[in-house]
Amino acid sequence: MRLRSENAAWLEPWEATSPGTGHGQQGTVATFGEYVRALSAQARAGTTLPFAVELDGALVGQLTVASITYGSLCSASIGYWIGREAAGRGVIPTGVAMAVDYCFFVLGLHRMEVNIRPENGPSLRVVEKLGLRDEGLRERFLHIQGAWRDHRTFAITSEEVPGGLLARWQATRDAI
């Protein structure tokens, strides 16, 4: 909670809100405690994998594999946040690559996607570094800051990284 509080202004432009259930209700942001409780329930149901992101033994962010679906889809989506002090150091691309590999090689999923607001330059850089495919714009995709916001969708399938996304990311980093 301290990390989230210290980074409130940094994270607020990207925070999901609830559109409300009645006519004319304004969007609201869940408290961090409510968010954690919801993630825990979804994890117990097997539809979400919440991960803490650490750097040098300190909590610096969070990554969530959500909407885990099996059957003919075998897919999930990834969302993440990181504190401002740790941003830009390759932590989140590494975490996303590790999560994708876990989903492909352990869970047996086929497709992973990341949805990002077009204005979120740092998050766009994450998927660019990892080489995820840009699949285009989803108009009014997610409720953020009290309104429905457009998102760009980026995806990768297991066939695209037979040796794993982490190995590809590490090779890319080493080449720089």
Side-chain angles (χ1 to χ4, degrees):
M1 287 188 192
R2 181 182 51 76
L3 180 64
R4 292 288 296 195
S5 177
E6 291 170 356
N7 286 277
W10 165 256
L11 299 171
E12 188 266 336
W14 322 115
E15 290 290 312
T17 52
S18 172
T21 57
H23 180 68
Q25 288 185 343
Q26 295 294 328
T28 57
V29 178
T31 67
F32 189 63
E34 292 169 335
Y35 174 69
V36 170
R37 282 189 293 281
L39 278 180
S40 295
Q42 292 166 7
R44 285 190 300 276
T47 60
T48 298
L49 295 172
F51 294 101
V53 177
E54 289 186 14
L55 177 63
D56 300 326
L59 177 68
V60 296
Q62 191 256 332
L63 182 146
T64 302
V65 177
S67 303
I68 299 171
T69 305
Y70 293 97
S72 60
L73 185 59
C74 287
S75 179
S77 63
I78 294 180
Y80 48 81
W81 62 268
I82 191 164
R84 187 176 205 145
E85 293 295 316
R89 296 171 61 186
V91 175
I92 289 297
T94 300
V96 168
M98 292 170 69
V100 166
D101 286 356
Y102 181 83
C103 290
F104 286 166
F105 301 129
V106 176
L107 298 183
L109 298 182
H110 174 255
R111 174 189 161 86
M112 300 297 297
E113 70 177 44
V114 179
N115 296 288
I116 302 170
R117 287 186 59 188
E119 308 88 344
N120 191 339
S123 279
L124 292 172
R125 184 77 180 113
V126 169
V127 295
E128 177 186 326
K129 288 176 181 179
L130 294 172
L132 273 64
R133 179 180 57 262
D134 187 344
E135 294 190 328
L137 186 71
R138 288 185 172 181
E139 295 183 16
R140 296 171 297 283
F141 179 68
L142 189 62
H143 201 268
I144 295 180
Q145 291 186 308
W148 293 103
R149 307 293 179 169
D150 295 348
H151 283 66
R152 285 176 53 196
T153 296
F154 298 85
I156 193 163
T157 60
S158 57
E159 294 91 352
E160 294 172 76
V161 285
L165 185 56
L166 183 60
R168 184 169 87 180
W169 162 234
Q170 289 172 331
T172 301
R173 283 187 80 172
D174 292 344
I176 296 174

